[in-house]
Amino acid sequence: MAFIFYLTHIHIGTDALLQLKSECERIGIRRPLIVSDKGVVAAGIVERVTATLSGMPCTVFDDTPSNPTEAMTRRAADLYRDSGCDGLIAVGGGSSIDLAKGAAILATHADDLKTYATIEGGSTRITSAAAPLIAVPTTSGTGSEVARGSIIILNDGRKLGFHSWHLLPRSAICDPLLTLGLPPYLTAATGMDAIAHCVETFLSAAFNPPADGIALDGLERAWAASRPQRKTAATLRQGSI
């Protein structure tokens, strides 16, 4: 398994999910709210996550829509408080991770969600009180597991961004085995998203050699994966990620 210990502790590999409980302990999460969607639950991934957290009381919110909304974010935050949770684990694609970031705000801050929108000058209003978050992505492309931003549709219809270093996931558990249940079209779409992130990173005018190296490595892996071949769970377990 590979590690990148930077702003977010990133665990990458086919056994990365096994690190989830120890990451909760490191961060101080003892009663997590798991934020996911019904498709991920139906695929059995949330069950695998809770099994990894054996002995730890968990509450599950599985109503994340394809585009996170303020109403659902509020419901998740209310469940967080009502269940006495002390941290969030987002399991799914960018929608679940973004909704969890919104819930991290609402569960610990008093004002309406729009107060914290970047365009409203709200980034500085998001404090260190935001609930700690661990991201367990089940797709390849979003990058939300290592980003400080979230996009949520407000009750007034606006689709706004929320940005703060306090929303950055403390840990990202990137286990490729969790992506195997995706429909083919989502595998292709999120794979292209990952390629786009690699290209834009490498072409950025900013000087960042480590990021350039990761971008080139990602592009090499994506090119290899685009060749006609069958990737099975057994192949992944043998070390191909």
Side-chain angles (χ1 to χ4, degrees):
M1 183 170 59
F3 305 92
I4 301 176
F5 289 160
Y6 187 47
L7 299 176
T8 298
H9 282 206
I10 308 169
H11 302 260
I12 309 171
T14 56
D15 55 352
L17 188 59
L18 298 177
Q19 305 300 313
L20 179 57
K21 188 171 185 179
S22 62
E23 283 298 278
C24 285
E25 293 169 349
R26 178 183 68 85
I27 294 166
I29 298 175
R30 296 176 178 83
R31 297 182 64 91
L33 175 68
I34 297 174
V35 175
S36 191
D37 63 55
K38 287 182 168 49
V40 173
V41 171
I45 295 176
V46 169
E47 184 178 1
R48 291 174 60 186
V49 168
T50 55
T52 302
L53 298 172
S54 58
M56 185 177 292
C58 303
T59 303
V60 176
F61 175 86
D62 63 359
D63 282 329
T64 301
S66 56
N67 289 290
T69 63
E70 179 179 357
M72 286 302 178
T73 302
R74 173 64 68 183
R75 283 182 55 185
D78 289 344
L79 182 60
Y80 178 99
R81 288 192 299 268
D82 293 344
S83 302
C85 296
D86 57 9
L88 295 144
I89 300 175
V91 182
S95 296
S96 293
I97 300 173
D98 277 11
L99 189 143
K101 290 175 182 176
I105 300 171
L106 290 181
T108 54
H109 294 67
D111 295 325
D112 291 338
L113 187 58
K114 65 181 180 181
T115 305
Y116 305 100
T118 303
I119 198 171
E120 301 285 354
S123 294
T124 58
R125 301 187 186 108
I126 302 172
T127 72
S128 60
L133 170 63
I134 295 175
V136 183
T138 60
T139 67
S140 305
T142 172
S144 188
E145 68 273 11
V146 292
R148 64 188 180 94
S150 172
I151 303 294
I152 297 173
I153 300 174
L154 299 188
N155 291 338
D156 62 14
R158 291 183 296 167
K159 191 173 187 178
L160 299 185
F162 301 80
H163 299 84
S164 169
W165 291 113
H166 300 304
L167 299 180
L168 188 71
R170 309 286 181 86
S171 179
I173 306 296
C174 301
D175 190 328
L177 293 179
L178 301 181
T179 70
L180 297 183
L182 279 179
Y185 76 94
L186 275 180
T187 298
T190 57
M192 285 304 300
D193 196 9
I195 289 173
H197 283 303
C198 289
V199 170
E200 67 183 355
T201 297
F202 185 71
L203 295 182
S204 170
F207 180 71
N208 192 329
D212 288 345
I214 292 171
L216 290 174
D217 181 73
L219 287 170
E220 184 177 2
R221 290 172 183 270
W223 175 257
S226 68
R227 299 170 187 167
Q229 56 185 324
R230 183 180 176 85
K231 297 274 186 187
T232 65
T235 303
L236 288 168
R237 291 191 182 95
Q238 291 170 5
S240 173
I241 61 170

